[in-house]
Amino acid sequence: MNTVLELAQAGLEALAGKDRESWLALWENDAVLDDPVGTEGFARAGGRFEGIEAITGFWDNVIALTSGLHYKIERCYPGGDVLALAIHFQTIKGPQVSDLHALNVYKRSQNGKLASMRSFWDESFRMP
């Protein structure tokens, strides 16, 4: 994968396909994931996950608990090695479906992996 858009799309496909190993392979060892930015996150204050071990924990404690995740990219704002995507997500857990509109900002490293991803979304959203 050469572009940050390709990395972001591969990450979204891996999330939707529940493909943990493919998703984790996209990240640098020292990457940072902020999800959500600026609010109390799922697993610890600030929603900040630093390093591949913490990012793996995010998958295991958040993504793995869903029974499905669908997405639609609504807008794309490229800027070199940085990309902002407006995305509509649907998360499914059992019979419950929740909608989430987010702005995800991805940064590509010099090695062609994800250096960071910051997700901005309404703090009133809660996983089903």
Side-chain angles (χ1 to χ4, degrees):
M1 275 165 260
N2 295 324
T3 70
V4 65
L5 177 58
E6 291 171 328
L7 287 167
Q9 289 173 321
L12 291 167
E13 284 298 312
L15 284 172
K18 303 281 287 188
D19 186 346
R20 179 181 184 265
E21 297 312 312
S22 292
W23 188 76
L24 291 171
L26 297 170
W27 297 87
E28 287 287 358
N29 286 333
D30 62 348
V32 176
L33 169 65
D34 288 302
D35 192 351
V37 172
T39 62
E40 193 167 314
F42 292 117
R44 55 186 178 155
R48 177 164 269 237
F49 305 88
E50 297 182 29
I52 196 64
E53 186 176 315
I55 292 169
T56 300
F58 172 81
W59 180 284
D60 294 342
N61 295 304
V62 177
I63 303 303
L65 301 180
T66 65
S67 54
L69 185 141
H70 304 285
Y71 73 93
K72 179 181 178 188
I73 297 173
E74 297 174 328
R75 299 245 192 295
C76 179
Y77 305 95
D81 283 337
V82 178
L83 171 75
L85 293 179
I87 307 169
H88 173 219
F89 289 99
Q90 281 191 323
T91 58
I92 304 162
K93 190 171 182 184
Q96 295 180 308
V97 177
S98 294
D99 287 293
L100 168 69
H101 291 272
L103 179 65
N104 284 4
V105 179
Y106 300 85
K107 184 174 181 182
R108 180 185 176 269
S109 73
Q110 291 180 350
N111 298 324
K113 290 189 165 196
L114 288 173
S116 66
M117 194 279 285
R118 304 184 80 212
S119 188
F120 297 82
W121 44 272
D122 181 352
E123 66 184 67
S124 66
F125 173 81
R126 292 292 176 249
M127 294 290 280

